[in-house]
């Protein structure tokens, strides 16, 4: 279930602000009843806007190996490449969560708002596996600190299965693989900064069980029906 104005906007009929105006003016009905601003609905409901029934948009699901230098946003004033530009489709798809401009790796793009909510909600503990290159030698004590949890801006950020894969003495860089179960902005970078190991490179190898091993940087593929069903099954009951 999503706010009605969002459903209307994502269908391409009009902007979200104009959709709100139409709802206020009584020009939107849901299942034969005049809608009210703020109510929620599903795309499966009969939604009529200005006398025209809202078409049900076919859902699309993509896994992208996000390249460096691409921004996870609908628009950018600096003219940088948008993540939606990486996918050849005429559907209004959006990224599930975010990866920083300089972060690479697995990200899902879809026009399925319900699945997006499942994958972004902290309650569902969706696993994200990262491979990170950081400055300095990450010690066993620091590894344990990451696994026990670090308080960042009043929130306890906790990593799982932290493994220091190697340490390069010449460059003084550690290569670490770790798992997170929340998707807060800059979480990996903030955790390593807290233990005084600035991140040099960051890649998300796995998201919600989907791996990019078979995808080159910038490549993508459609998810299978089986994969989509498995993602829906990750939802935990309230």
């Amino acid at each position: 279930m999503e706010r009605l104005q969002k459903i209307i906007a994502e269908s391409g009929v009009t902007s979200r602000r104009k959709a709100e105006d139409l709802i206020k003016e009584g020009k939107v009905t849901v299942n034969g009843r005049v809608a009210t601003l703020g109510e929620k609905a599903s795309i499966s409901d009969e939604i009529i806007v200005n006398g025209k029934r809202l078409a049900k948009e076919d859902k699309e699901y993509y896994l992208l190996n996000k390249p460096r230098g691409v921004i996870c946003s609908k628009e950018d004033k600096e003219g940088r490449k948008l993540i939606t530009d990486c996918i050849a489709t005429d559907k209004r798809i959006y990224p599930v969560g975010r990866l920083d401009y300089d972060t690479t790796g697995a990200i899902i793009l879809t026009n399925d708002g319900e699945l997006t909510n499942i994958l972004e909600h902290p309650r569902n503990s969706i696993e994200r596996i990262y491979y990170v290159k950081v400055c300095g030698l990450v010690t066993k004590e620091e590894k344990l600190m990451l696994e026990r949890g670090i308080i960042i801006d009043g929130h306890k950020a906790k990593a799982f299965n932290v493994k220091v894969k190697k340490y390069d003495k010449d460059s003084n860089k550690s290569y670490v693989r770790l798992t997170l179960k929340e998707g807060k902005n800059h979480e990996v970078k903030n955790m390593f900064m807290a233990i005084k190991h600035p991140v040099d490179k960051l890649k998300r190898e796995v998201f919600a069980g989907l791996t990019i091993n078979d995808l080159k940087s910038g490549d993508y593929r459609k998810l299978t029906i089986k994969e989509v069903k498995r993602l829906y099954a990750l939802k935990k009951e309230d």
Side-chain angles (χ1 to χ4, degrees):
M1 300 289 283
E2 293 184 302
R3 291 195 180 276
L4 185 55
Q5 59 266 36
K6 182 179 180 181
I7 294 175
I8 296 172
E10 290 186 351
S11 72
V13 171
T14 186
S15 68
R16 186 180 299 199
R17 181 169 295 181
K18 180 61 177 176
E20 291 176 352
D21 292 339
L22 291 171
I23 294 170
K24 291 177 183 178
E25 294 166 7
K27 296 180 179 179
V28 179
T29 64
V30 178
N31 299 327
R33 174 184 51 78
V34 176
T36 57
L37 187 63
E39 74 172 89
K40 293 186 177 181
S42 168
I43 193 63
S44 61
D45 291 320
E46 183 187 61
I47 302 172
I48 297 178
V49 181
N50 261 343
K52 294 184 178 180
R53 183 168 181 169
L54 205 66
K56 296 180 182 178
E57 186 176 49
D58 292 336
K59 302 301 183 189
E60 292 189 352
Y61 309 86
Y62 298 93
L63 176 67
L64 168 71
N65 184 351
K66 176 189 172 296
R68 185 184 298 271
V70 173
I71 187 169
C72 292
S73 180
K74 298 177 184 178
E75 57 184 7
D76 182 53
K77 294 180 180 179
E78 299 179 25
R80 292 173 293 183
K81 186 175 181 178
L82 305 180
I83 194 165
T84 49
D85 295 333
C86 297
I87 309 291
T89 178
D90 58 354
K91 297 292 191 299
R92 293 164 59 89
I93 58 173
Y94 303 95
V96 178
R98 301 174 65 88
L99 288 177
D100 290 342
Y101 181 74
D102 58 347
T103 299
T104 64
I107 190 165
I108 293 171
L109 291 97
T110 182
N111 54 353
D112 187 337
E114 184 177 355
L115 181 61
T116 297
N117 290 335
I118 291 172
L119 296 177
E120 291 184 347
H121 202 294
R123 176 183 63 237
N124 297 319
S125 300
I126 305 301
E127 289 194 349
R128 303 153 169 86
I129 300 177
Y130 295 88
Y131 190 68
V132 53
K133 179 169 74 170
V134 301
C135 300
L137 172 63
V138 177
T139 66
K140 290 182 179 179
E141 291 76 14
E142 290 167 335
K143 170 183 173 297
L144 289 174
M145 287 175 63
L146 294 171
E147 292 179 332
R148 289 175 185 144
I150 298 173
I151 303 299
I152 300 173
D153 296 329
H155 165 75
K156 189 173 185 178
K158 187 176 181 180
F160 301 83
N161 303 319
V162 181
K163 296 181 180 179
V164 180
K165 304 302 291 185
K166 69 174 182 178
Y167 171 65
D168 187 328
K169 290 184 179 179
D170 293 335
S171 62
N172 189 29
K173 298 289 173 63
S174 294
Y175 295 78
V176 184
R177 181 173 284 115
L178 71 160
T179 300
L180 298 184
K181 296 184 179 181
E182 287 191 59
K184 292 188 176 296
N185 287 344
H186 317 302
E187 190 164 18
V188 175
K189 292 179 179 179
N190 289 339
M191 290 178 73
F192 278 99
M193 185 60 71
I195 59 173
K196 297 181 172 51
H197 291 291
V199 169
D200 187 31
K201 286 187 178 181
L202 178 61
K203 179 179 183 180
R204 186 159 69 190
E205 296 184 326
V206 182
F207 179 51
L210 298 172
T211 177
I212 53 168
N213 289 344
D214 57 341
L215 294 173
K216 296 180 181 178
S217 178
D219 286 351
Y220 63 90
R221 66 173 178 83
K222 283 190 174 183
L223 299 188
T224 65
I225 294 175
K226 184 177 180 180
E227 287 173 327
V228 173
K229 288 182 177 179
R230 187 184 60 77
L231 293 177
Y232 263 95
L234 296 174
K235 181 179 180 180
K236 294 180 180 178
E237 297 301 324
D238 297 336

